[in-house]
mmCIF file of all heavy atoms in Angstrom:
data_model
loop_
_atom_site.group_PDB
_atom_site.id
_atom_site.type_symbol
_atom_site.label_atom_id
_atom_site.label_comp_id
_atom_site.label_asym_id
_atom_site.label_seq_id
_atom_site.Cartn_x
_atom_site.Cartn_y
_atom_site.Cartn_z
ATOM 1 N N PRO A 23 17.301 3.881 9.128
ATOM 2 C CA PRO A 23 16.535 3.556 8.018
ATOM 3 C C PRO A 23 15.170 2.869 8.499
ATOM 4 O O PRO A 23 15.108 2.340 9.597
ATOM 5 C CB PRO A 23 17.307 2.531 7.208
ATOM 6 C CG PRO A 23 18.231 1.922 8.223
ATOM 7 C CD PRO A 23 18.492 2.968 9.137
ATOM 8 N N LEU A 24 14.135 3.027 7.728
ATOM 9 C CA LEU A 24 12.889 2.343 8.048
ATOM 10 C C LEU A 24 12.924 0.943 7.487
ATOM 11 O O LEU A 24 12.558 0.607 6.381
ATOM 12 C CB LEU A 24 11.713 3.123 7.354
ATOM 13 C CG LEU A 24 11.707 4.635 7.667
ATOM 14 C CD1 LEU A 24 10.598 5.272 6.930
ATOM 15 C CD2 LEU A 24 11.582 4.885 9.174
ATOM 16 N N VAL A 25 13.349 0.026 8.360
ATOM 17 C CA VAL A 25 13.654 -1.349 7.939
ATOM 18 C C VAL A 25 12.326 -2.079 7.415
ATOM 19 O O VAL A 25 12.385 -2.800 6.529
ATOM 20 C CB VAL A 25 14.320 -2.128 9.058
ATOM 21 C CG1 VAL A 25 14.573 -3.569 8.590
ATOM 22 C CG2 VAL A 25 15.578 -1.478 9.571
ATOM 23 N N HIS A 26 11.241 -1.718 8.146
ATOM 24 C CA HIS A 26 9.944 -2.398 7.661
ATOM 25 C C HIS A 26 9.625 -1.948 6.266
ATOM 26 O O HIS A 26 9.080 -2.729 5.414
ATOM 27 C CB HIS A 26 8.822 -2.085 8.673
ATOM 28 C CG HIS A 26 8.656 -0.554 8.845
ATOM 29 N ND1 HIS A 26 9.573 0.287 9.439
ATOM 30 C CD2 HIS A 26 7.561 0.234 8.698
ATOM 31 C CE1 HIS A 26 9.134 1.431 9.486
ATOM 32 N NE2 HIS A 26 7.871 1.479 9.117
ATOM 33 N N VAL A 27 9.907 -0.657 5.937
ATOM 34 C CA VAL A 27 9.652 -0.181 4.563
ATOM 35 C C VAL A 27 10.628 -0.789 3.600
ATOM 36 O O VAL A 27 10.299 -1.075 2.453
ATOM 37 C CB VAL A 27 9.708 1.376 4.528
ATOM 38 C CG1 VAL A 27 9.476 1.889 3.099
ATOM 39 C CG2 VAL A 27 8.681 1.944 5.475
ATOM 40 N N ILE A 28 11.856 -0.925 3.933
ATOM 41 C CA ILE A 28 12.884 -1.585 3.074
ATOM 42 C C ILE A 28 12.481 -3.050 2.782
ATOM 43 O O ILE A 28 12.566 -3.457 1.612
ATOM 44 C CB ILE A 28 14.297 -1.552 3.758
ATOM 45 C CG1 ILE A 28 14.801 -0.043 3.782
ATOM 46 C CG2 ILE A 28 15.284 -2.429 3.002
ATOM 47 C CD1 ILE A 28 16.122 0.119 4.567
ATOM 48 N N ALA A 29 11.903 -3.692 3.795
ATOM 49 C CA ALA A 29 11.430 -5.080 3.540
ATOM 50 C C ALA A 29 10.262 -5.107 2.508
ATOM 51 O O ALA A 29 10.255 -5.882 1.552
ATOM 52 C CB ALA A 29 10.964 -5.682 4.791
ATOM 53 N N ALA A 30 9.363 -4.039 2.571
ATOM 54 C CA ALA A 30 8.337 -3.972 1.631
ATOM 55 C C ALA A 30 8.863 -3.599 0.246
ATOM 56 O O ALA A 30 8.288 -4.037 -0.739
ATOM 57 C CB ALA A 30 7.278 -2.916 2.140
ATOM 58 N N LYS A 31 9.881 -2.763 0.169
ATOM 59 C CA LYS A 31 10.557 -2.448 -1.005
ATOM 60 C C LYS A 31 11.154 -3.747 -1.713
ATOM 61 O O LYS A 31 10.993 -3.949 -2.914
ATOM 62 C CB LYS A 31 11.699 -1.443 -0.887
ATOM 63 C CG LYS A 31 11.189 -0.020 -0.491
ATOM 64 C CD LYS A 31 12.416 0.902 -0.282
ATOM 65 C CE LYS A 31 11.979 2.279 0.228
ATOM 66 N NZ LYS A 31 13.173 3.204 0.472
ATOM 67 N N ALA A 32 11.688 -4.544 -0.951
ATOM 68 C CA ALA A 32 12.292 -5.794 -1.447
ATOM 69 C C ALA A 32 11.214 -6.661 -2.029
ATOM 70 O O ALA A 32 11.421 -7.294 -3.121
ATOM 71 C CB ALA A 32 13.028 -6.573 -0.313
ATOM 72 N N VAL A 33 10.043 -6.741 -1.386
ATOM 73 C CA VAL A 33 8.886 -7.450 -1.982
ATOM 74 C C VAL A 33 8.444 -6.889 -3.202
ATOM 75 O O VAL A 33 8.199 -7.610 -4.276
ATOM 76 C CB VAL A 33 7.831 -7.544 -0.887
ATOM 77 C CG1 VAL A 33 6.503 -8.203 -1.554
ATOM 78 C CG2 VAL A 33 8.167 -8.357 0.340
ATOM 79 N N CYS A 34 8.342 -5.534 -3.289
ATOM 80 C CA CYS A 34 7.878 -4.829 -4.423
ATOM 81 C C CYS A 34 8.754 -5.046 -5.656
ATOM 82 O O CYS A 34 8.285 -5.402 -6.747
ATOM 83 C CB CYS A 34 7.843 -3.354 -4.084
ATOM 84 S SG CYS A 34 8.056 -2.212 -5.413
ATOM 85 N N PHE A 35 10.057 -5.011 -5.417
ATOM 86 C CA PHE A 35 11.046 -5.229 -6.522
ATOM 87 C C PHE A 35 10.897 -6.652 -7.069
ATOM 88 O O PHE A 35 11.026 -6.887 -8.307
ATOM 89 C CB PHE A 35 12.484 -4.978 -6.085
ATOM 90 C CG PHE A 35 12.742 -3.592 -5.515
ATOM 91 C CD1 PHE A 35 13.675 -3.358 -4.508
ATOM 92 C CD2 PHE A 35 12.096 -2.491 -6.114
ATOM 93 C CE1 PHE A 35 13.887 -2.119 -4.053
ATOM 94 C CE2 PHE A 35 12.349 -1.208 -5.592
ATOM 95 C CZ PHE A 35 13.240 -1.033 -4.542
ATOM 96 N N ALA A 36 10.747 -7.597 -6.153
ATOM 97 C CA ALA A 36 10.568 -9.022 -6.596
ATOM 98 C C ALA A 36 9.289 -9.203 -7.393
ATOM 99 O O ALA A 36 9.259 -9.828 -8.435
ATOM 100 C CB ALA A 36 10.511 -9.943 -5.359
ATOM 101 N N GLU A 37 8.238 -8.559 -6.923
ATOM 102 C CA GLU A 37 6.930 -8.596 -7.671
ATOM 103 C C GLU A 37 7.098 -8.016 -9.112
ATOM 104 O O GLU A 37 6.484 -8.463 -10.063
ATOM 105 C CB GLU A 37 5.851 -7.884 -6.896
ATOM 106 C CG GLU A 37 5.389 -8.617 -5.637
ATOM 107 C CD GLU A 37 4.429 -7.820 -4.819
ATOM 108 O OE1 GLU A 37 4.219 -6.637 -5.084
ATOM 109 O OE2 GLU A 37 3.852 -8.437 -3.933
ATOM 110 N N ALA A 38 7.923 -6.964 -9.191
ATOM 111 C CA ALA A 38 8.126 -6.221 -10.481
ATOM 112 C C ALA A 38 8.947 -7.056 -11.456
ATOM 113 O O ALA A 38 9.009 -6.632 -12.658
ATOM 114 C CB ALA A 38 8.739 -4.886 -10.206
ATOM 115 N N MET A 39 9.530 -8.187 -11.036
ATOM 116 C CA MET A 39 10.310 -8.945 -11.940
ATOM 117 C C MET A 39 9.453 -10.148 -12.490
ATOM 118 O O MET A 39 10.050 -11.124 -13.065
ATOM 119 C CB MET A 39 11.509 -9.454 -11.308
ATOM 120 C CG MET A 39 12.646 -8.420 -11.154
ATOM 121 S SD MET A 39 14.260 -8.987 -10.468
ATOM 122 C CE MET A 39 13.932 -8.903 -8.715
ATOM 123 N N THR A 40 8.183 -10.146 -12.307
ATOM 124 C CA THR A 40 7.343 -11.280 -12.788
ATOM 125 C C THR A 40 6.679 -10.904 -14.138
ATOM 126 O O THR A 40 6.468 -9.703 -14.479
ATOM 127 C CB THR A 40 6.218 -11.539 -11.734
ATOM 128 O OG1 THR A 40 5.398 -10.454 -11.646
ATOM 129 C CG2 THR A 40 6.845 -11.856 -10.371
ATOM 130 N N HIS A 41 6.233 -11.935 -14.791
ATOM 131 C CA HIS A 41 5.537 -11.672 -16.062
ATOM 132 C C HIS A 41 4.139 -11.013 -15.805
ATOM 133 O O HIS A 41 3.773 -10.229 -16.611
ATOM 134 C CB HIS A 41 5.279 -13.056 -16.776
ATOM 135 C CG HIS A 41 6.443 -13.679 -17.311
ATOM 136 N ND1 HIS A 41 7.271 -13.136 -18.286
ATOM 137 C CD2 HIS A 41 7.096 -14.878 -16.960
ATOM 138 C CE1 HIS A 41 8.350 -13.861 -18.594
ATOM 139 N NE2 HIS A 41 8.227 -14.982 -17.797
ATOM 140 N N ASN A 42 3.553 -11.325 -14.707
ATOM 141 C CA ASN A 42 2.330 -10.587 -14.363
ATOM 142 C C ASN A 42 2.443 -9.112 -14.302
ATOM 143 O O ASN A 42 1.572 -8.402 -14.658
ATOM 144 C CB ASN A 42 1.712 -11.203 -13.025
ATOM 145 C CG ASN A 42 1.120 -12.549 -13.189
ATOM 146 O OD1 ASN A 42 0.860 -12.979 -14.286
ATOM 147 N ND2 ASN A 42 0.928 -13.280 -12.062
ATOM 148 N N PHE A 43 3.591 -8.664 -13.759
ATOM 149 C CA PHE A 43 3.781 -7.237 -13.547
ATOM 150 C C PHE A 43 3.937 -6.604 -14.972
ATOM 151 O O PHE A 43 3.465 -5.494 -15.175
ATOM 152 C CB PHE A 43 5.034 -7.023 -12.775
ATOM 153 C CG PHE A 43 5.282 -5.553 -12.452
ATOM 154 C CD1 PHE A 43 4.699 -4.939 -11.423
ATOM 155 C CD2 PHE A 43 6.185 -4.806 -13.139
ATOM 156 C CE1 PHE A 43 4.809 -3.628 -11.086
ATOM 157 C CE2 PHE A 43 6.402 -3.440 -12.879
ATOM 158 C CZ PHE A 43 5.702 -2.841 -11.815
ATOM 159 N N ILE A 44 4.668 -7.274 -15.866
ATOM 160 C CA ILE A 44 4.801 -6.748 -17.243
ATOM 161 C C ILE A 44 3.408 -6.607 -17.891
ATOM 162 O O ILE A 44 3.091 -5.614 -18.558
ATOM 163 C CB ILE A 44 5.734 -7.657 -18.102
ATOM 164 C CG1 ILE A 44 7.176 -7.575 -17.494
ATOM 165 C CG2 ILE A 44 5.755 -7.134 -19.509
ATOM 166 C CD1 ILE A 44 8.081 -8.583 -18.171
ATOM 167 N N SER A 45 2.641 -7.644 -17.784
ATOM 168 C CA SER A 45 1.218 -7.588 -18.345
ATOM 169 C C SER A 45 0.401 -6.445 -17.783
ATOM 170 O O SER A 45 -0.337 -5.745 -18.356
ATOM 171 C CB SER A 45 0.519 -8.923 -18.029
ATOM 172 O OG SER A 45 1.195 -10.004 -18.726
ATOM 173 N N TYR A 46 0.660 -6.247 -16.394
ATOM 174 C CA TYR A 46 -0.083 -5.192 -15.674
ATOM 175 C C TYR A 46 0.307 -3.843 -16.295
ATOM 176 O O TYR A 46 -0.565 -2.961 -16.610
ATOM 177 C CB TYR A 46 0.251 -5.265 -14.200
ATOM 178 C CG TYR A 46 0.057 -3.987 -13.532
ATOM 179 C CD1 TYR A 46 -1.234 -3.454 -13.312
ATOM 180 C CD2 TYR A 46 1.090 -3.217 -12.974
ATOM 181 C CE1 TYR A 46 -1.477 -2.246 -12.589
ATOM 182 C CE2 TYR A 46 0.919 -2.045 -12.330
ATOM 183 C CZ TYR A 46 -0.363 -1.628 -12.075
ATOM 184 O OH TYR A 46 -0.632 -0.401 -11.506
ATOM 185 N N GLN A 47 1.615 -3.618 -16.480
ATOM 186 C CA GLN A 47 2.054 -2.295 -17.006
ATOM 187 C C GLN A 47 1.613 -2.094 -18.492
ATOM 188 O O GLN A 47 1.235 -0.951 -18.792
ATOM 189 C CB GLN A 47 3.572 -2.218 -16.942
ATOM 190 C CG GLN A 47 4.198 -2.181 -15.584
ATOM 191 C CD GLN A 47 3.771 -1.032 -14.684
ATOM 192 O OE1 GLN A 47 3.307 -0.002 -15.268
ATOM 193 N NE2 GLN A 47 3.983 -1.096 -13.401
ATOM 194 N N LYS A 48 1.513 -3.128 -19.288
ATOM 195 C CA LYS A 48 0.942 -3.032 -20.580
ATOM 196 C C LYS A 48 -0.476 -2.561 -20.544
ATOM 197 O O LYS A 48 -0.937 -1.695 -21.359
ATOM 198 C CB LYS A 48 1.106 -4.287 -21.331
ATOM 199 C CG LYS A 48 2.538 -4.655 -21.747
ATOM 200 C CD LYS A 48 2.584 -5.991 -22.506
ATOM 201 C CE LYS A 48 3.979 -6.313 -22.930
ATOM 202 N NZ LYS A 48 4.113 -7.668 -23.570
ATOM 203 N N GLN A 49 -1.153 -3.091 -19.582
ATOM 204 C CA GLN A 49 -2.669 -2.732 -19.433
ATOM 205 C C GLN A 49 -2.745 -1.302 -18.877
ATOM 206 O O GLN A 49 -3.689 -0.564 -19.277
ATOM 207 C CB GLN A 49 -3.319 -3.702 -18.440
ATOM 208 C CG GLN A 49 -4.836 -3.580 -18.460
ATOM 209 C CD GLN A 49 -5.486 -4.006 -19.756
ATOM 210 O OE1 GLN A 49 -5.154 -4.983 -20.306
ATOM 211 N NE2 GLN A 49 -6.296 -3.118 -20.279
ATOM 212 N N VAL A 50 -1.866 -0.880 -18.075
ATOM 213 C CA VAL A 50 -1.844 0.518 -17.597
ATOM 214 C C VAL A 50 -1.793 1.479 -18.748
ATOM 215 O O VAL A 50 -2.593 2.456 -18.847
ATOM 216 C CB VAL A 50 -0.676 0.771 -16.645
ATOM 217 C CG1 VAL A 50 -0.530 2.249 -16.421
ATOM 218 C CG2 VAL A 50 -0.865 0.060 -15.287
ATOM 219 N N ILE A 51 -0.893 1.216 -19.706
ATOM 220 C CA ILE A 51 -0.747 2.113 -20.859
ATOM 221 C C ILE A 51 -1.921 1.986 -21.801
ATOM 222 O O ILE A 51 -2.436 2.983 -22.280
ATOM 223 C CB ILE A 51 0.500 1.751 -21.639
ATOM 224 C CG1 ILE A 51 1.772 2.010 -20.811
ATOM 225 C CG2 ILE A 51 0.642 2.537 -22.952
ATOM 226 C CD1 ILE A 51 3.080 1.555 -21.363
ATOM 227 N N LYS A 52 -2.503 0.800 -22.052
ATOM 228 C CA LYS A 52 -3.703 0.645 -22.824
ATOM 229 C C LYS A 52 -4.833 1.371 -22.227
ATOM 230 O O LYS A 52 -5.597 2.099 -22.958
ATOM 231 C CB LYS A 52 -4.084 -0.852 -22.940
ATOM 232 C CG LYS A 52 -3.207 -1.687 -23.803
ATOM 233 C CD LYS A 52 -3.689 -3.137 -23.739
ATOM 234 C CE LYS A 52 -2.817 -4.114 -24.531
ATOM 235 N NZ LYS A 52 -3.301 -5.510 -24.407
ATOM 236 N N ASN A 53 -4.988 1.299 -20.957
ATOM 237 C CA ASN A 53 -6.104 1.993 -20.270
ATOM 238 C C ASN A 53 -5.963 3.482 -20.375
ATOM 239 O O ASN A 53 -6.979 4.217 -20.507
ATOM 240 C CB ASN A 53 -6.223 1.542 -18.813
ATOM 241 C CG ASN A 53 -6.651 0.115 -18.695
ATOM 242 O OD1 ASN A 53 -7.305 -0.442 -19.648
ATOM 243 N ND2 ASN A 53 -6.484 -0.473 -17.504
ATOM 244 N N ALA A 54 -4.704 3.949 -20.198
ATOM 245 C CA ALA A 54 -4.556 5.436 -20.295
ATOM 246 C C ALA A 54 -4.874 5.999 -21.712
ATOM 247 O O ALA A 54 -5.504 6.994 -21.871
ATOM 248 C CB ALA A 54 -3.077 5.756 -19.952
ATOM 249 N N LYS A 55 -4.464 5.255 -22.731
ATOM 250 C CA LYS A 55 -4.822 5.668 -24.080
ATOM 251 C C LYS A 55 -6.259 5.626 -24.362
ATOM 252 O O LYS A 55 -6.821 6.552 -24.998
ATOM 253 C CB LYS A 55 -4.067 4.836 -25.110
ATOM 254 C CG LYS A 55 -2.500 4.995 -25.081
ATOM 255 C CD LYS A 55 -1.874 4.190 -26.171
ATOM 256 C CE LYS A 55 -0.307 4.280 -26.169
ATOM 257 N NZ LYS A 55 0.012 5.769 -26.500
ATOM 258 N N ILE A 56 -7.005 4.665 -23.841
ATOM 259 C CA ILE A 56 -8.437 4.599 -23.983
ATOM 260 C C ILE A 56 -9.096 5.772 -23.268
ATOM 261 O O ILE A 56 -9.946 6.451 -23.850
ATOM 262 C CB ILE A 56 -9.042 3.247 -23.436
ATOM 263 C CG1 ILE A 56 -8.637 2.125 -24.375
ATOM 264 C CG2 ILE A 56 -10.494 3.391 -23.252
ATOM 265 C CD1 ILE A 56 -9.378 2.187 -25.714
ATOM 266 N N LEU A 57 -8.742 5.983 -22.049
ATOM 267 C CA LEU A 57 -9.348 7.150 -21.290
ATOM 268 C C LEU A 57 -9.080 8.389 -22.010
ATOM 269 O O LEU A 57 -9.956 9.272 -22.137
ATOM 270 C CB LEU A 57 -8.764 7.139 -19.879
ATOM 271 C CG LEU A 57 -9.283 8.312 -18.979
ATOM 272 C CD1 LEU A 57 -10.830 8.303 -18.805
ATOM 273 C CD2 LEU A 57 -8.578 8.276 -17.598
ATOM 274 N N CYS A 58 -7.846 8.596 -22.453
ATOM 275 C CA CYS A 58 -7.433 9.836 -23.217
ATOM 276 C C CYS A 58 -8.339 9.999 -24.476
ATOM 277 O O CYS A 58 -8.860 11.055 -24.705
ATOM 278 C CB CYS A 58 -5.958 9.725 -23.586
ATOM 279 S SG CYS A 58 -5.309 11.268 -24.211
ATOM 280 N N ASP A 59 -8.496 8.958 -25.199
ATOM 281 C CA ASP A 59 -9.282 8.958 -26.494
ATOM 282 C C ASP A 59 -10.725 9.248 -26.190
ATOM 283 O O ASP A 59 -11.348 10.076 -26.894
ATOM 284 C CB ASP A 59 -9.097 7.624 -27.240
ATOM 285 C CG ASP A 59 -7.738 7.467 -27.816
ATOM 286 O OD1 ASP A 59 -6.994 8.461 -27.935
ATOM 287 O OD2 ASP A 59 -7.435 6.330 -28.249
ATOM 288 N N VAL A 60 -11.273 8.656 -25.202
ATOM 289 C CA VAL A 60 -12.640 8.967 -24.798
ATOM 290 C C VAL A 60 -12.896 10.438 -24.499
ATOM 291 O O VAL A 60 -13.835 11.070 -24.948
ATOM 292 C CB VAL A 60 -13.150 8.055 -23.707
ATOM 293 C CG1 VAL A 60 -14.557 8.495 -23.189
ATOM 294 C CG2 VAL A 60 -13.206 6.554 -24.094
ATOM 295 N N LEU A 61 -12.005 10.922 -23.688
ATOM 296 C CA LEU A 61 -12.095 12.383 -23.247
ATOM 297 C C LEU A 61 -11.977 13.289 -24.464
ATOM 298 O O LEU A 61 -12.683 14.316 -24.585
ATOM 299 C CB LEU A 61 -11.115 12.681 -22.193
ATOM 300 C CG LEU A 61 -11.371 12.000 -20.828
ATOM 301 C CD1 LEU A 61 -10.217 12.304 -19.818
ATOM 302 C CD2 LEU A 61 -12.653 12.458 -20.211
#
């Protein structure tokens, strides 16, 4: 296995369990809808 990548995955999963990550994903969807509407 690529242990260095697994370590980075562990960090990524931890980051995804934060409130900031949830806020980020909400903004991702808002931004997609805005871009879609403009086009």
Side-chain angles (χ1 to χ4, degrees):
L24 307 178
V25 182
H26 55 301
V27 179
I28 290 174
K31 289 176 185 179
V33 172
C34 151
F35 300 146
E37 291 175 345
M39 286 187 274
T40 65
H41 291 298
N42 284 343
F43 187 81
I44 295 173
S45 298
Y46 160 69
Q47 296 295 344
K48 288 179 179 177
Q49 191 65 51
V50 167
I51 295 173
K52 286 179 185 177
N53 289 343
K55 290 185 182 297
I56 287 292
L57 179 59
C58 189
D59 288 345
V60 170
L61 291 174

